[in-house]
Amino acid sequence: MSMLTGEVNGKRVAMVCGIPMDVENCPVRDVMDNIGGKWNSLMILSLADGPLRFSQLRRLIPDISQRMLTQTLRDLQRDGYIHRTVYPTQPPSVEYALTDLGRSLLGLLKHFVDWSVENHGAIRAAREVYDAEA
Amino acid sequence: MSMLTGEVNGKRVAMVCGIPMDVENCPVRDVMDNIGGKWNSLMILSLADGPLRFSQLRRLIPDISQRMLTQTLRDLQRDGYIHRTVYPTQPPSVEYALTDLGRSLLGLLKHFVDWSVENHGAIRAAREVYDAEA
DNA sequence: AAGAGCAAGTCTCAAAAAGAGACCATGTGC
DNA sequence: GCACATGGTCTCTTTTTGAGACTTGCTCTT
């Protein structure tokens, strides 16, 4: 992980790991802008065990609004993490499933889940110290 | 990664990996709420090589407002990822450095950076397909 | 000596994003 | 006939974020 200042399109920009952290040229930002959203990674985790329908997701994540559920699913579909299938039943049901890309990302997210559980205590402790002295 | 419905404090909640995905009781959400923010993980990556001062960070990430820079640093400090040191120089300078916890998270973020670079092409491709048919 | 610039922020106001909840068409069970 | 389910959209309000001026004290330039 080395950082230096590099040149992209004649502009000086910060480099992290040899990747331009520039606003337009940074793949990390481009990816993060989607999956870093409030609901996006939770959605991918929720689909880990298999496809779910719209209303199943809504029940699984009770504190998401329908509006944000729709939008999150669209965003994830657009970037290729999930696939949307409509079954012509009565009433029509819609199923959301992880793609290969989505499962690949899920592998990363699992590590993140483990890390969160391991370090949750330390974070809560740090928070209390900070709040006490402020 | 198994998901089922479990019981926490008498309430039925979704479980992912044996972790309650409930709003109040989920360590993953608690951690993610901070580092999932727009600037937070970028900030930790920026401090990877060593401590930086406020204005150095501002120059490194030109598209962050001072207001959000201050707030992001405070949030990260509160959760124990970074440490803030004031040097009584003239004018006083303030240095931000990763803590052990911050470096631990950095390890995860590096994997994320690698994944982003590897899969950026696939994501852009998926995006174009989606935009074309919509 | 006057003016500019930097340090690390705070403050205010405007714009964007998110949340709450009504509404839609269609069909089933009671 | 009534309530409920399906997968959403629409509008309204609240919360977040962004843009940019302002601060205090010191140094550097002219």
Side-chain angles (χ1 to χ4, degrees):
Chain A
M1 181 71 74
S2 69
M3 176 144 45
L4 58 152
T5 304
E7 198 131 344
V8 175
N9 299 340
K11 286 197 309 183
R12 279 188 115 30
V13 297
M15 310 282 281
V16 175
C17 301
I19 298 149
M21 280 305 183
D22 188 296
V23 195
E24 295 93 38
N25 293 306
C26 179
V28 183
R29 285 214 203 184
D30 195 23
V31 175
M32 188 84 86
D33 275 354
N34 188 2
I35 71 149
K38 178 166 183 181
W39 301 107
N40 304 41
S41 42
L42 185 59
M43 197 67 60
I44 289 182
L45 285 170
S46 299
L47 292 172
D49 284 340
L52 290 174
R53 281 178 301 150
F54 188 88
S55 47
Q56 290 180 303
L57 283 167
R58 194 148 58 94
R59 277 188 290 268
L60 194 62
I61 308 171
D63 55 333
I64 194 173
S65 65
Q66 297 198 184
R67 190 182 153 284
M68 285 314 291
L69 180 54
T70 302
Q71 191 178 307
T72 302
L73 290 167
R74 291 285 180 283
D75 288 347
L76 291 176
Q77 187 191 353
R78 185 168 108 98
D79 275 15
Y81 298 113
I82 65 176
H83 182 245
R84 180 176 183 272
T85 316
V86 181
Y87 293 100
T89 55
Q90 206 54 267
S93 65
V94 181
E95 199 175 72
Y96 294 92
L98 290 181
T99 60
D100 286 342
L101 187 68
R103 270 183 295 274
S104 169
L105 180 59
L106 177 62
L108 274 192
L109 289 178
K110 282 180 190 178
H111 290 143
F112 185 79
V113 168
D114 293 342
W115 190 93
S116 298
V117 174
E118 265 174 49
N119 295 278
H120 190 210
I123 291 165
R124 290 175 64 94
R127 225 176 260 176
E128 280 186 27
V129 170
Y130 182 94
D131 290 349
E133 73 196 18
Chain B
M1 180 71 74
S2 68
M3 175 145 43
L4 60 152
T5 304
E7 197 130 346
V8 175
N9 298 343
K11 287 197 310 185
R12 278 188 116 32
V13 297
M15 310 283 281
V16 174
C17 300
I19 298 150
M21 279 307 182
D22 188 288
V23 193
E24 295 93 36
N25 294 304
C26 180
V28 183
R29 285 213 203 184
D30 195 24
V31 175
M32 189 84 86
D33 275 354
N34 188 1
I35 71 150
K38 180 168 183 181
W39 302 107
N40 303 42
S41 42
L42 184 60
M43 196 67 59
I44 289 182
L45 285 169
S46 298
L47 292 172
D49 284 340
L52 291 174
R53 281 180 301 152
F54 188 88
S55 49
Q56 290 180 302
L57 283 166
R58 193 150 59 95
R59 278 188 290 267
L60 195 61
I61 308 172
D63 56 332
I64 195 173
S65 64
Q66 297 198 186
R67 192 182 151 285
M68 284 313 291
L69 180 53
T70 302
Q71 192 178 305
T72 302
L73 290 168
R74 291 285 181 281
D75 289 347
L76 292 175
Q77 188 191 352
R78 185 167 108 99
D79 275 16
Y81 298 113
I82 64 176
H83 183 245
R84 179 175 182 272
T85 317
V86 181
Y87 293 101
T89 56
Q90 206 54 266
S93 65
V94 181
E95 199 175 72
Y96 293 92
L98 290 182
T99 60
D100 287 343
L101 187 67
R103 270 185 295 274
S104 170
L105 180 60
L106 177 63
L108 274 191
L109 290 178
K110 281 180 188 176
H111 291 142
F112 185 79
V113 167
D114 294 342
W115 191 91
S116 297
V117 174
E118 267 175 47
N119 295 278
H120 191 208
I123 290 165
R124 290 175 64 95
R127 226 176 259 174
E128 280 185 26
V129 169
Y130 182 95
D131 290 348
E133 72 195 18

